[in-house]
Amino acid sequence: MKVLITGAGGQLGWELLRSAPSDWQVVGWERSWLDITVEKEVVEKIGALQPQWVINAAAYTAVDRAESQPDEARAVNHGGVVNLSRAVQRVGGKLLHLSTDYVFDGSRGRPWGPEDAVAPLGEYGRSKLAGERAALDLLGENLLLVRTAWLYSSRGHNFVQTMLRLMREGRNLSVVMDQTGSPTWAFHLATALWGLLERDVCGILHWCNAGVASWYDFAVAIQQLALQMGVLSSPVTIHPIPSSAYPTAATRPAFSVLDCTKSWEILASPAPHWQTALASMLQEVAGESRL
Ligand SMILES: NC(=O)c1ccc[n+]([C@@H]2O[C@H](COP(=O)([O-])OP(=O)(O)OC[C@H]3O[C@@H](n4cnc5c(N)ncnc54)[C@H](OP(=O)(O)O)[C@@H]3O)[C@@H](O)[C@H]2O)c1
């Protein structure tokens, strides 16, 4: 099996590379080697490689910046996906494309299923939805679309790394308590994605770590575990605040928990709880800081 990962320099791309099945030929291309917005290069390079699967981990992920750069977000999250879908079509392969909980408006209090009505609140979500629709139109049954949420990893920019940096600086923090989701370790997601490819699954699925939390719950857990593991030496005060007290350029869904039962059933294993995942990720951070 030959698999290409685009956006291999991002947090999910990096986790996919290090968790790849050892008996598959897995190639990771960073943006410097393949910019997915450049159609000619996408078609030529994928045509030369002839992968059976392309995993698109490339994306414009700056949720707030997308409000002032909607064209840039669309160029990658829609235009780039069109280019990849066409290239995959030409080589007769399949595409595993990643999308987001931010395609939902978060206005109801129960988890969002793969077939639920989408209604993104911001430019990032709209650009990701445009990419989803284009890939579905172009690839149909040769597409596996996996939506995930609240990703973090020991590499890259994410909420866990930001909280650890601010906590190390000794700053007291105010963290939003009225947005609810499922924090997801990109390493666990990557492992699940390989499991889905091994089963040759297509369609729309959701995959996140189990359990739900507010950003405030998440921050409290990060601090508690980081103190226990020696990643932090002293605590800061963490205040719960409503979203209205922390205005951001993009409006985020209030309740974006994804219903992942279908993917967990296919994989015959429920995802680990987000607190277990967070502890494992922080173990890595602790190991790296001891090096
Ligand atoms: N992060 C989250 O919380 C989250 C939540 C839900 C869903 N998702 C989805 O999960 C997927 C993976 O996200 P992630 O967190 O791993 O993102 P990430 O860490 O921001 O990585 C995205 C990667 O894509 C690259 N990229 C950007 N534009 C590109 C282009 N034109 N051509 C090729 N590569 C390009 C970036 O390179 P540069 O660094 O050079 O720009 C970066 O290496 C994305 O589809 C994202 O929408 C993420």
Side-chain angles (χ1 to χ4, degrees), residues 235-252:
V236 299
T237 303
I238 308 174
H239 303 280
I241 56 164
S243 304
S244 56
Y246 187 74
T248 51
T251 305
R252 287 160 168 76

Side-chain angles (χ1 to χ4, degrees), residues 119-138:
L121 298 175
E123 292 296 342
Y124 167 72
R126 280 192 279 277
S127 69
K128 292 294 293 183
L129 179 58
E132 286 190 4
R133 287 185 167 151
L136 274 164
D137 279 354
L138 287 164

Side-chain angles (χ1 to χ4, degrees), residues 56-276:
N56 181 32
Y60 178 110
T61 55
V63 175
D64 288 315
R65 209 182 319 138
E67 295 301 309
S68 56
Q69 296 187 330
D71 293 345
E72 285 85 344
R74 276 192 174 247
V76 182
N77 294 344
H78 174 243
V81 179
V82 169
N83 294 340
L84 287 173
S85 301
R86 290 198 177 125
V88 165
Q89 241 178 359
R90 282 191 181 207
V91 297
K94 294 181 181 177
L95 177 68
L96 164 47
H97 178 57
L98 275 298
S99 193
T100 170
D101 54 333
Y102 283 15
V103 297
F104 297 110
D105 67 9
S107 63
R108 61 169 210 209
R110 66 183 163 81
W112 300 90
E115 309 302 335
D116 279 335
V118 287
L121 298 175
E123 292 296 342
Y124 167 72
R126 280 192 279 277
S127 69
K128 292 294 293 183
L129 179 58
E132 286 190 4
R133 287 185 167 151
L136 274 164
D137 279 354
L138 287 164
L139 290 168
E141 291 181 352
N142 291 321
L143 174 72
L144 171 56
L145 175 67
V146 178
R147 298 194 190 108
T148 187
W150 294 32
L151 276 191
Y152 63 90
S153 123
S154 55
R155 301 281 162 100
H157 301 290
N158 54 65
F159 184 79
V160 180
Q161 300 286 12
T162 302
M163 286 298 112
L164 289 175
R165 177 172 53 77
L166 296 174
M167 288 166 182
R168 283 190 186 113
E169 289 169 6
R171 302 212 206 161
N172 290 335
L173 300 174
S174 297
V175 184
V176 168
M177 52 68 177
D178 54 3
Q179 289 169 26
T180 306
S182 298
T184 297
W185 187 23
F187 177 75
H188 279 165
L189 171 63
T191 308
L193 295 178
W194 289 121
L196 293 172
L197 290 204
E198 277 162 5
R199 289 163 180 79
D200 205 24
V201 178
C202 284
I204 305 177
L205 293 173
H206 291 168
W207 198 95
C208 289
N209 277 123
V212 303
S214 69
W215 292 111
Y216 169 72
D217 292 321
F218 193 20
V220 169
I222 292 165
Q223 169 156 270
Q224 185 181 317
L225 287 165
L227 285 168
Q228 282 168 13
M229 292 176 188
V231 174
L232 287 175
S233 51
S234 55
V236 299
T237 303
I238 308 174
H239 303 280
I241 56 164
S243 304
S244 56
Y246 187 74
T248 51
T251 305
R252 287 160 168 76
F255 188 87
S256 69
V257 175
L258 299 178
D259 181 343
C260 302
T261 20
K262 195 170 163 192
S263 66
W264 297 347
E265 279 170 11
I266 291 170
L267 292 164
S269 102
H273 193 274
W274 68 264
Q275 290 183 356
T276 310

